[in-house]
Amino acid sequence: MRNILLLFLCLILLVGAGCGSRGAAPAFVLTEDFIIIAHRGASAYVPEHTLPAYELAVNASADYIEIDLQMTKDGELIALHDAQLDRTTNGSGLAATQTLDEIKTLEAGSWFNEQYPQLANPAYEKVEIPTLEEIFQRYGKSANYYIETKSPGMEEELINLLRKHSLIHSESKVIIQSFYSKSLRKIHKMEPRIPLVQLYSYTDKARITDRELRSLKKYASGIGANFGMVDEDYIKKAHQHGLAVHLFTVNRDEDIQQAYEIGANGVFTDYPEKRPDTY
């Protein structure tokens, strides 16, 4: 009788642990809170992915600051959306072909002054592309980070930096997103409790199958998708599988309201001060 009881208890433990072969389940991010994610910082007002953009986003009480990551030739992680340096700096070419020292000679704000003269500030002409470490050193555990791996191969360095700054399983929240499932699966294997978000960019009405959602749930906590392609049924289906849905990039007040009303769990926005009317 004792052996039967022990076997029963072991079976319960194995089921609860995912049969002991997949590691801990990903963190649960499906909550009642509607979160505001500062898209590239407060990028409607300040040059994107610069320390002033993050500073303004934090001051606007954004729930998360979004950080896109590129890796330099010498393996440093920098906050930069494009693979190319041309659009947002006075440099050119791929960031991946230049060292951090070379990238630090560039300025990352003149383009903003030229494109948005009504918001121009001479100080922006002196801002640099920050490293992820510089961002962590600036804000530590006082900010929440929503980080995107823009290409595979940077996962180990990202996890090392998160560990170095004690940002894993801390009071500071960290979410990692990517269009590359391979990148997310690798992160999940290294740190299974970090919540991960699988990104999709739909060109037509968003559809997803139960089979796809079950597969996602093995490593992800949520889905990121483009606003306007996702409807209420899609979000309900994701919720049924325990997956949050965050929509990008949502800037108009009425669109933020619509995202809230169809059940999305948050939005990426260039205007981090905006909020939906939650009645």
Side-chain angles (χ1 to χ4, degrees):
M1 181 68 181
R2 175 186 171 88
N3 289 339
I4 293 174
L5 181 59
L6 286 172
L7 179 60
F8 181 69
L9 289 172
C10 286
L11 286 171
I12 291 175
L13 289 172
L14 283 173
V15 171
C19 299
S21 62
R22 291 185 300 194
F28 194 67
V29 296
L30 182 57
T31 69
E32 294 182 359
D33 297 327
F34 185 88
I35 66 171
I36 298 294
I37 306 146
H39 182 239
R40 309 179 194 179
S43 55
Y45 306 107
V46 184
E48 66 183 62
H49 287 319
T50 61
L51 290 179
Y54 300 135
E55 190 73 20
L56 188 56
V58 169
N59 290 338
S61 299
D63 296 298
Y64 287 82
I65 55 174
E66 187 209 21
I67 306 169
D68 292 312
L69 292 183
Q70 302 285 353
M71 179 173 271
T72 66
K73 182 179 180 180
D74 48 346
E76 298 289 339
L77 295 180
I78 58 173
L80 183 69
H81 178 271
D82 300 0
Q84 298 273 352
L85 293 159
D86 304 60
R87 181 177 64 86
T88 57
T89 78
N90 61 338
S92 63
L94 291 168
T97 64
Q98 302 189 35
T99 66
L100 180 61
D101 284 344
E102 290 171 326
I103 285 172
K104 280 296 186 179
T105 67
L106 306 177
E107 58 88 1
S110 291
W111 70 273
F112 184 87
N113 288 348
E114 294 168 6
Q115 193 166 338
Y116 304 101
Q118 72 278 17
L119 298 171
N121 186 327
Y124 297 159
E125 297 174 8
K126 298 179 181 180
V127 296
E128 302 175 350
I129 296 175
T131 64
L132 182 60
E133 179 141 43
E134 286 171 339
I135 297 167
F136 288 165
Q137 288 170 342
R138 177 77 167 254
Y139 297 107
K141 297 177 182 179
S142 67
N144 299 327
Y145 307 98
Y146 207 122
I147 300 169
E148 180 177 347
T149 59
K150 299 297 288 185
S151 61
M154 59 180 67
E155 299 83 10
E156 290 185 11
E157 180 62 18
L158 171 55
I159 294 300
N160 287 341
L161 284 173
L162 289 169
R163 289 170 176 166
K164 177 181 177 181
H165 292 273
S166 302
L167 291 170
I168 297 176
H169 318 316
S170 73
E171 59 268 29
S172 177
K173 300 183 184 70
V174 175
I175 296 174
I176 299 174
Q177 65 176 349
S178 186
F179 284 101
Y180 297 94
S181 61
K182 181 179 179 181
S183 182
L184 294 178
R185 289 176 187 274
K186 185 174 182 179
I187 292 169
H188 180 60
K189 187 174 181 180
M190 288 188 289
E191 284 290 352
R193 294 185 184 178
I194 295 178
L196 307 177
V197 169
Q198 179 65 60
L199 287 170
Y200 292 98
S201 182
Y202 293 101
T203 57
D204 204 345
K205 182 180 178 181
R207 292 181 174 83
I208 196 163
T209 66
D210 287 315
R211 181 177 181 180
E212 289 175 301
L213 289 164
R214 286 193 296 270
S215 178
L216 279 177
K217 188 60 180 173
K218 292 178 181 178
Y219 65 92
S221 297
I223 294 169
N226 38 331
F227 174 78
M229 299 299 177
V230 172
D231 61 16
E232 188 171 1
D233 289 339
Y234 181 103
I235 293 172
K236 283 181 179 178
K237 197 171 186 180
H239 287 175
Q240 288 168 0
H241 288 264
L243 293 164
V245 178
H246 299 151
L247 301 179
F248 60 86
T249 301
V250 193
N251 286 330
R252 298 193 308 169
D253 292 315
E254 57 266 37
D255 292 339
I256 292 174
Q257 187 64 33
Q258 183 184 349
Y260 172 77
E261 290 179 0
I262 65 174
N265 303 99
V267 293
F268 295 82
T269 180
D270 300 336
Y271 299 87
E273 78 283 2
K274 293 187 176 183
R275 299 291 185 279
D277 182 358
T278 57
Y279 308 107

